[in-house]
Amino acid sequence: MSIELWTGCRAATMQAGAGASYGLVEDAAIAVEAGRIAWIGGRNELPAALRDRVTQRHDCGGALVTPGLIDCHTHLVYGGDRAHEFELRLGGASYEDIARAGGGIASTVKATRAASEAELRAQSLPRLRALMGDGVTTVEIKSGYGLSLEQEAKCLRVARSLGDEPVDVRTTFLGAHALPPEFAGRADDYIEEVLRMLPALHQQGLVDAVDAFCERIAFSTAQTERVFEAARRLGLPVKLHAEQLSDSGGAQLAARYGALSCDHLEWLSEEGAAAMAQAGSAAVLLPGAFYFLRDTRVPPVDLLRKHAVPIAVSTDCNPGSSPCTSLLLMLNMACTLFRLTPQEALAGVTRNAALALGLKDRGVLAPGLRADFVLWNVQQPAQLSYAMGFNPHRQTVFEGRPL
Ligand code: DI6
Ligand code: FE
């Protein structure tokens, strides 16, 4: 097998263990074989046996190289937009007021159901491409705007089809996102319906993980638990939208089911953080939603640090609470709004985002892992968090293939 060699760069490997460092390698070389990293280290230390097999060389021109970015929480497949609700909120209405009045998620459900599969794909693709332009090589996409078997299947098929692009798409079934209008006042009946949808969607190969929105405007912990039990029966991992608007103990519940992640967490308690640490669940922080909803309650980052809960950062790309398609901007907001360090923020969109998706083959630059990496026109990794709205992306390498 031939080897391609990338040199002329500094590499932020993001390998854990080196304390609060980025795992920086100066004057690095990255050897790629069959879409995987065969070797990474200082250029002068490249083993001769590998050097002899190099068939193609790439000069990175002094770029900083990081792992491909991972956006581990998005709802990017949806129809329409909610600019009008943005205007209503600017006029004084709250996100919860709008949801209770039948707007919010319900209005996106209407637009999503009305869109054909091709239309939905056409509307979603520019959002995905924007993320890819920020160096994203893996993206998680949730369903949750279809809310019936047929419509959820449509959304998940669109999400899967977006994987034709040079990006790895992971799909999450979020049937328990909101109550569809035909089930108004019958949340328990709708949960029964979700329990019927899940095995069918799983059988169609459309589900990598299962999520729920556990909140006073969505589903209770008891209802969430029924969904988690169903996921467990199918051997599917779970995640949870937890403690976004109130502390309902969702994190403890998710931890009992070994959740890959709990997401949002503005109202997370210490008990919740401890439970997550014990279960090995990642905390996915979503500064875009915090910002867009003008939230004032910052997630308890100190508690997460104290209990050594891995912190991930994501766009939460969705039409209602975070119409955001820039993961780089989330780095800045995670630092500015939540006081993450730039190192924590970058780990949050690489190493820890991989944990939040249960993916062990990416998120750091190390031998044997996927050769997904990004060349940036910066010197210091902190520059990626520092800039606002400036994109220093130079090139993405996806499974060893320069794009
Ligand atoms: N939490 C969120 O932030 C999004 N979904 C969720 O469960 C918001 C979805 C929307 O408003 O359309
Ligand atoms: Fe979300």
Side-chain angles (χ1 to χ4, degrees):
M1 251 327 222
S2 64
I3 286 186
E4 295 193 22
L5 191 68
W6 296 77
T7 55
C9 57
R10 301 178 86 193
T13 65
M14 303 312 290
Q15 288 192 38
S21 84
Y22 295 94
L24 275 181
V25 179
E26 302 295 339
D27 193 11
I30 307 171
V32 174
E33 182 173 28
R36 299 266 162 169
I37 297 173
W39 187 88
I40 179 165
R43 187 168 54 95
N44 295 330
E45 284 137 49
L46 179 69
L50 282 179
R51 196 170 47 228
D52 294 345
R53 289 167 51 217
V54 171
T55 52
Q56 198 173 353
R57 290 172 179 277
H58 303 269
D59 179 15
C60 300
L64 175 79
V65 176
T66 67
L69 304 192
I70 299 171
D71 196 352
C72 65
H73 177 144
T74 86
H75 311 245
L76 75 78
V77 171
Y78 62 81
D81 75 275
R82 306 241 287 276
H84 178 59
E85 290 180 10
F86 179 52
E87 290 179 308
L88 290 178
R89 283 200 298 111
L90 289 167
S94 77
Y95 181 74
E96 290 187 63
D97 292 340
I98 292 169
R100 290 207 176 89
I105 295 175
S107 64
T108 298
V109 170
K110 204 167 164 194
T112 303
R113 287 177 169 183
S116 71
E117 205 156 324
E119 284 163 353
L120 202 51
R121 182 182 154 98
Q123 291 183 41
S124 304
L125 186 56
R127 295 190 276 268
L128 177 67
R129 291 223 170 113
L131 290 174
M132 291 165 67
D134 266 18
V136 169
T137 52
T138 298
V139 62
E140 184 252 21
I141 302 177
K142 300 175 196 296
S143 66
Y145 292 119
L147 308 184
S148 71
L149 176 57
E150 190 192 329
Q151 295 289 340
E152 289 285 288
K154 176 179 79 177
C155 295
L156 290 167
R157 280 196 304 271
V158 168
R160 280 273 195 257
S161 84
L162 292 170
D164 298 349
E165 296 287 303
V167 65
D168 195 33
V169 173
R170 315 297 299 182
T171 56
T172 299
F173 173 57
L174 178 55
H177 190 200
L179 206 54
E182 61 275 19
F183 280 88
R186 296 189 296 131
D188 284 322
D189 292 347
Y190 179 62
I191 291 295
E192 293 292 334
E193 187 58 29
V194 168
L195 300 187
R196 277 189 288 275
M197 288 183 221
L198 176 55
L201 296 168
H202 178 50
Q203 209 178 14
Q204 292 169 44
L206 292 172
V207 183
D208 296 320
V210 176
D211 193 350
F213 188 14
C214 183
E215 192 56 67
R216 59 191 177 207
I217 55 166
F219 297 98
S220 68
T221 47
Q223 289 162 342
T224 300
E225 182 154 17
R226 300 196 58 206
V227 177
F228 283 0
E229 279 166 358
R232 178 178 274 175
R233 283 196 290 276
L234 296 170
L236 288 167
V238 301
K239 312 167 75 65
L240 189 64
H241 281 70
E243 343 295 22
Q244 179 185 6
L245 308 170
S246 59
D247 177 13
S248 56
Q252 291 92 312
L253 168 66
R256 280 201 279 116
Y257 283 82
L260 292 174
S261 70
C262 297
D263 305 36
H264 286 286
L265 300 175
E266 277 78 355
W267 291 80
L268 179 70
S269 64
E270 173 138 29
E271 209 186 331
M276 287 175 65
Q278 233 193 342
S281 308
V284 180
L285 303 186
L286 304 163
F290 175 92
Y291 164 81
F292 197 67
L293 297 182
R294 301 190 75 217
D295 209 338
T296 50
R297 182 154 176 132
V298 175
V301 171
D302 284 340
L303 277 182
L304 297 172
R305 289 184 182 125
K306 176 178 162 194
H307 291 275
V309 177
I311 300 173
V313 173
S314 171
T315 59
D316 195 15
C317 174
N318 78 71
S321 67
S322 189
C324 169
T325 49
S326 171
L327 195 53
L328 286 176
L329 181 59
M330 295 304 96
L331 292 181
N332 178 275
M333 285 195 187
C335 296
T336 308
L337 300 173
F338 297 165
R339 311 317 279 167
L340 258 56
T341 67
Q343 191 274 333
E344 287 172 324
L346 191 57
V349 297
T350 54
R351 188 174 71 228
N352 293 343
L355 285 178
L357 295 178
L359 299 172
K360 298 188 165 66
D361 61 351
R362 68 197 78 181
V364 299
L365 299 176
L369 303 197
R370 285 169 67 103
D372 293 345
F373 51 87
V374 185
L375 279 55
W376 304 97
N377 290 322
V378 300
Q379 291 297 304
Q380 303 297 334
Q383 286 173 268
L384 298 174
S385 293
Y386 155 80
M388 295 169 66
F390 177 72
N391 187 345
H393 179 267
R394 177 181 184 133
Q395 185 167 39
T396 293
V397 177
F398 180 71
E399 290 188 296
R401 198 155 40 91
L403 304 183

